[in-house]
Amino acid sequence: MFTKLIKSILVVLILSSSVTAQENSSQMSSTEKEEIAFLLFDNYETLDVFGPAEIFGRLTDLYTLKFYSLEGGIVTNRHQVPIMTEKLADINKKPFAFLIPGGLGTRVEVNNDKLITSIKDISLTSTFVMTVCTGSALLAKTGLLDKRQATSNKRAFAWVITNGPEVQWDKEARWKVDENYYTSSGVSAGMDMALGFLADRHGLDFARNVAWEIEYNWIEDKDNDTFTAE
């Protein structure tokens, strides 16, 4: 009798679990994927782009990744990594998140008025805006970070802040969040920010699981960077 009771309970639990999984799968499939739009330009920093791309790209049920540049076509960085891009002007709906990387190319692009205007326009229509490394200099140049808290690559900090004198720059943060604007420190910090973004959207355990899947030691403390600006 006791054995039959245990078997009955197990059957109920298995059926219940199956129904729940089917319901969750149905809900997920009916949810439209959110676009993560990556801006590329000549001499972008490789990990600034592909660190977050690895993290968001694993979540195929939630996000779709697209790569854009001012004129479209193939964009190559100093590591000789070529990426085919679409034109920024061809974005036909507002992205869920717009990510701006850094790299040596930012030194040139901060003076590209057409690109800065495009960055501003797309940022204003995006639900969230993220920058990695010196990408914050490009966003700061638009004026959208004025009076907001932000951070950037600590080794390039002195140069970055000249592009946004009205920004409340944080010399110690790994990444900063000010409403819908996320800015991060240098290179690998973009991965920590991306995971922090997921934690804010989907919960801490969700983000930790993604970090575990890619065997990444996530720095969860956004307010304290190993690298600090003088």
Side-chain angles (χ1 to χ4, degrees), residues 51-52 55-56 99 130 175 189-199 207 218:
I55 290 168
F56 292 123
L99 189 143
M130 293 179 275
W175 77 91
M191 299 179 69
D192 297 322
M193 176 191 67
L195 290 165
F197 179 85
L198 291 181
W218 176 28

Side-chain angles (χ1 to χ4, degrees), residues 23-137:
E23 289 176 347
N24 289 337
S25 176
S26 177
Q27 290 173 359
M28 185 65 73
S29 63
S30 64
T31 302
E32 184 178 356
K33 296 179 183 180
E34 303 281 12
E35 179 180 325
I36 309 292
F38 289 78
L39 171 67
L40 297 185
F41 44 80
D42 289 338
N43 291 323
Y44 66 87
E45 180 64 40
T46 307
L47 195 61
D48 288 10
V49 173
F50 294 106
E54 169 66 24
I55 290 168
F56 292 123
R58 297 185 72 83
L59 306 172
T60 56
D61 291 329
L62 295 175
Y63 301 112
T64 181
L65 278 53
K66 290 192 176 182
F67 299 90
Y68 297 92
S69 65
L70 187 60
E71 301 299 336
I74 295 176
V75 176
T76 303
N77 70 357
R78 71 188 186 96
H79 297 157
Q80 300 302 303
V81 179
I83 296 295
M84 179 60 72
T85 65
E86 300 178 43
K87 286 186 178 182
L88 281 174
D90 291 342
I91 294 180
N92 54 18
K93 66 176 183 178
K94 70 175 187 177
F96 177 66
F98 181 42
L99 189 143
I100 306 166
L104 290 177
T106 57
R107 271 67 168 184
V108 174
E109 301 303 340
V110 290
N111 298 312
N112 186 336
D113 292 339
K114 185 176 180 181
L115 178 62
I116 298 302
T117 297
S118 294
I119 288 174
K120 184 174 184 178
D121 292 343
I122 295 169
S123 296
L124 287 171
T125 60
S126 299
T127 305
F128 295 97
V129 181
M130 293 179 275
T131 69
V132 184
C133 195
T134 54
S136 57

